[in-house]
Amino acid sequence: MTLSGKVAIAGIGQTRFGKGLEQSERELACIAIDAALRDAGIEPGTVDGLACYTMEDTPDFELVRDLGLGSIHYFAKIAHGGGAGPGAIGNAAMAVATGQCRAAVVWRARKRSGAATRVWARSSPVLEDHWKWSRPSGLLRPVDEVAMLARRYMHEHGDIVPALAEIAVTLRAYANANPAATMYGKQMNHADYHDSRMVADPLRLFDNCLESDGAAALVLLPADQAGKDAVLVEAFAQGMVPGHQSMSDFHRADPLSGSSSVTAAKLWSMTRYTPADVDVAQFYDAFSPLILFSLEAYGFAAKGDGTRLITEDGIGLTGRLPVNTAGGSLSEAYLHGFNLALEAVRQLRGEATTQVPNARLALVTGCDVTPNGALLLRRGA
Amino acid sequence: MINGIPLPARDGPFEEGFWAALDRGVLAHQHCEACATWHFPPRWRCHCGGALTYQEVSGAGTLWSWTEVHPPVLPAFAPFAPYVVGLVQLDEGEGLRMVGNLVVASGDPINRVRPEQLQIGMKVQAVIGEIADGIPWPSWKIEPSIPTGEMP
Ligand SMILES: [Zn+2]
């Protein structure tokens, strides 16, 4: 028994994305969920399932009151920050598929643009958790941890800077076609990328995600209650490789082969589709190297060959694999990757601002350097 | 020592032997007799099921990777930025790695070593100092044969 075809993503909704939005996180969540419910064409009172990230601050019961949702029979929070998005959607899909609930809402709302809200900036003076092994040495931010792996990757497989530049420029170009994107109307070329300031060598400012306020939500229904051309969950997997620790995943024999590799193996084992069938991919991209690492982990390129896929085969609309086609976390908005899932749905509906012609199969992944998950979505008809 | 940096709690599970060794000025890690495997960070038992005991390690290793951290950083680190942080592979076992600052001599500031002096795979040696009162911590001395450049 698998999830294949049993559950539809029947509605999507989002707020405006940007810095310094006036609404609270809770109100942003309400706006996005309300839009998703209207898109799905269902009444709030029919919702009986809720799933979100553990890092979500708004209590689910407040949203039940705020929105007039029904009696809730499934509520779950999925751990590991940027690794959680596909897991939150996939777990809710499992609940819908098994009848634990009949209509599930999954959401992410953030007000991230204030510097004091950044997770690493809240690092307490005494570290009790695994950050004790790295932060006292000044390895403070997620970007520093990813830079450590990026530097090692370069040692083993060669220069990645041209590929990182290509990622940043390509995602910005997608954002320039997407009026909802934070970076809509703000051009970036390769020279701009190389001129941007270094943050954690070899990673520059434009290798980093935006700091965004906003919210996004989607609605899951049993497939037989959605239209026949609805977007269906084809497969879902989560993964945590033994020896892993979140972000500073440095203590296994091969840190360059992380939790994504076990997530991918599980995902592909649960579907008849293969990477070659994927029309469009939405890779979690808090930092540009995560796209490179994920391309390889999910089987689109051999280890060490991802840079060639990016710079020669291409990740733009006419490239071999269009990636993060709304601009992603680098240029659309950083909602812990949840906006990536909405873009996958728009692609499969044929409603994307940079539409991949006849897109039928889309991959959505969580953060490569945390415990994570992935979703394979397909168009029903 | 830098005032105001985040400090590691010394009372974490399975860590007693780690801190006890550092208090004696040496580095020790958990070792499994049954399968001859070294482990860090500390854990309950070996993945093979074997019991773990703390054994001194040589402190010899190689530079597995590094980054140079540029602002913005936590205020305590700001006067030193940009500074290099290393990830060291200890000679005892694959995957036995520690994050730490690189120095030319014990007591050097965290920004003493510059990227130009670094090569992945170069030899390093643990030197135990204190990052705060009562908190011993290893830094990693780069081989003196490598040109050390000018003081920053
Ligand atoms: Zn063992």
Side-chain angles (χ1 to χ4, degrees):
Chain A
M1 189 185 79
T2 68
L3 264 179
S4 177
K6 294 187 172 70
V7 178
I9 299 180
I12 55 175
Q14 67 190 41
T15 65
R16 195 159 72 80
F17 302 143
K19 280 183 182 281
L21 298 189
E22 62 187 37
Q23 296 97 338
S24 64
E25 240 174 46
R26 182 165 148 192
E27 186 172 7
L28 292 169
C30 290
I31 294 166
I33 294 170
D34 186 55
L37 292 172
R38 283 186 281 110
D39 186 47
I42 66 167
E43 292 300 317
T46 63
V47 172
D48 63 350
L50 288 170
C52 64
Y53 296 56
T54 53
M55 292 179 82
E56 185 67 29
D57 288 333
T58 303
D60 46 10
F61 51 79
E62 297 288 7
L63 294 176
V64 175
R65 278 200 290 230
D66 289 333
L67 287 150
L69 305 183
S71 295
I72 304 297
H73 298 296
Y74 177 79
F75 36 90
K77 286 192 162 192
I78 304 301
H80 305 305
I89 298 166
N91 276 268
M94 291 193 291
V96 171
T98 55
Q100 296 300 125
C101 63
R102 300 291 292 167
V105 163
V106 191
W107 85 95
R108 183 76 180 109
R110 305 192 85 187
K111 294 198 76 169
R112 166 93 173 190
S113 62
T117 67
R118 291 171 200 169
V119 176
W120 62 267
R122 292 189 284 191
S123 188
S124 60
V126 175
L127 302 168
E128 305 278 356
D129 52 16
H130 74 289
W131 303 117
K132 70 164 69 173
W133 308 121
S134 52
R135 289 200 174 148
S137 299
L139 199 74
L140 301 169
R141 307 162 299 186
V143 65
D144 305 326
E145 293 149 358
V146 173
M148 198 69 92
L149 295 174
R151 168 74 55 194
R152 179 68 191 191
Y153 183 103
M154 286 170 56
H155 175 72
E156 294 189 14
H157 302 297
D159 193 11
I160 64 173
V161 172
L164 301 187
E166 184 65 22
I167 289 169
V169 169
T170 302
L171 268 54
R172 182 61 64 88
Y174 284 132
N176 276 300
N178 172 13
T182 307
M183 289 301 184
Y184 181 67
K186 295 182 181 136
Q187 309 281 327
M188 186 215 298
N189 59 30
H190 280 262
D192 298 327
Y193 171 87
H194 290 288
D195 286 346
S196 70
R197 65 182 169 80
M198 196 64 83
V199 176
D201 195 320
L203 305 182
R204 298 179 175 278
L205 179 65
F206 290 147
D207 293 306
N208 287 256
C209 61
L210 302 167
E211 299 292 350
S212 306
D213 295 351
L218 52 80
V219 175
L220 301 173
L221 294 176
D224 58 11
Q225 290 178 35
K228 70 174 173 32
D229 58 349
V231 173
L232 301 177
V233 176
E234 165 58 23
F236 158 63
Q238 288 176 288
M240 182 194 298
V241 69
H244 176 96
Q245 69 181 25
S246 184
M247 295 303 301
S248 54
D249 186 20
F250 303 145
H251 307 285
R252 295 177 297 106
D254 182 11
L256 296 182
S257 180
S259 289
S260 296
S261 60
V262 297
T263 301
K266 178 75 175 170
L267 183 79
W268 297 123
S269 78
M270 299 184 78
T271 176
R272 64 190 171 88
Y273 295 103
T274 70
D277 299 317
V278 173
D279 298 307
V280 58
Q282 309 293 328
F283 292 119
Y284 182 87
D285 58 343
F287 308 101
S288 61
L290 303 183
I291 291 180
L292 169 63
F293 299 161
S294 298
L295 277 166
E296 297 178 355
Y298 285 90
F300 296 95
K303 197 79 201 168
D305 215 24
T307 53
R308 202 188 53 75
L309 191 160
I310 293 163
T311 59
E312 295 178 28
D313 299 342
I315 56 172
L317 183 62
T318 59
R320 188 182 127 204
L321 181 69
V323 166
N324 296 15
T325 45
S329 307
L330 299 185
S331 280
E332 187 191 38
Y334 184 52
L335 296 182
H336 255 150
F338 207 73
N339 48 318
L340 298 171
L342 272 68
E343 171 63 6
V345 173
R346 285 191 297 264
Q347 285 286 353
L348 297 176
R349 289 175 168 185
E351 297 173 355
T353 49
T354 301
Q355 180 62 45
V356 176
N358 196 33
R360 303 192 60 84
L361 194 67
L363 175 69
V364 184
T365 73
C367 182
D368 178 71
V369 286
T370 63
N372 55 35
L375 281 168
L376 195 61
L377 305 177
R378 67 175 158 92
R379 194 163 68 206
Chain B
M1 288 194 280
I2 310 172
N3 288 328
I5 65 170
L7 296 172
R10 290 187 44 142
D11 56 355
F14 325 121
E15 294 173 14
E16 204 176 324
F18 177 81
W19 296 108
L22 286 182
D23 285 338
R24 299 195 307 273
V26 296
L27 187 60
H29 284 301
Q30 289 178 309
H31 184 254
C32 175
E33 292 283 342
C35 71
T37 303
W38 292 89
H39 294 292
F40 178 78
R43 63 205 63 188
W44 184 45
R45 69 181 181 194
C46 182
H47 52 67
C48 81
L52 297 174
T53 56
Y54 276 95
Q55 306 287 335
E56 277 187 35
V57 293
S58 63
T62 53
L63 187 64
W64 193 83
S65 191
W66 58 272
T67 183
E68 186 178 43
V69 175
H70 292 253
V73 294
L74 289 176
F77 288 99
F80 301 91
Y83 56 85
V84 167
V85 183
L87 178 55
V88 170
Q89 164 75 58
L90 277 72
D91 284 355
E92 278 76 7
E94 190 181 34
L96 189 69
R97 300 191 193 97
M98 298 186 75
V99 173
N101 297 118
L102 303 175
V103 296
V104 175
S106 183
D108 276 345
I110 64 169
N111 58 0
R112 170 69 178 85
V113 169
R114 306 304 307 151
E116 319 67 271
Q117 296 171 257
L118 302 178
Q119 273 186 313
I120 287 179
M122 71 191 297
K123 287 186 188 319
V124 297
Q125 178 67 42
V127 288
I128 313 300
E130 278 197 333
I131 52 168
D133 288 334
I135 314 260
W137 198 254
S139 295
W140 302 89
K141 198 156 85 84
I142 64 173
E143 276 281 299
S145 61
I146 304 293
T148 55
E150 293 181 9
M151 289 292 284

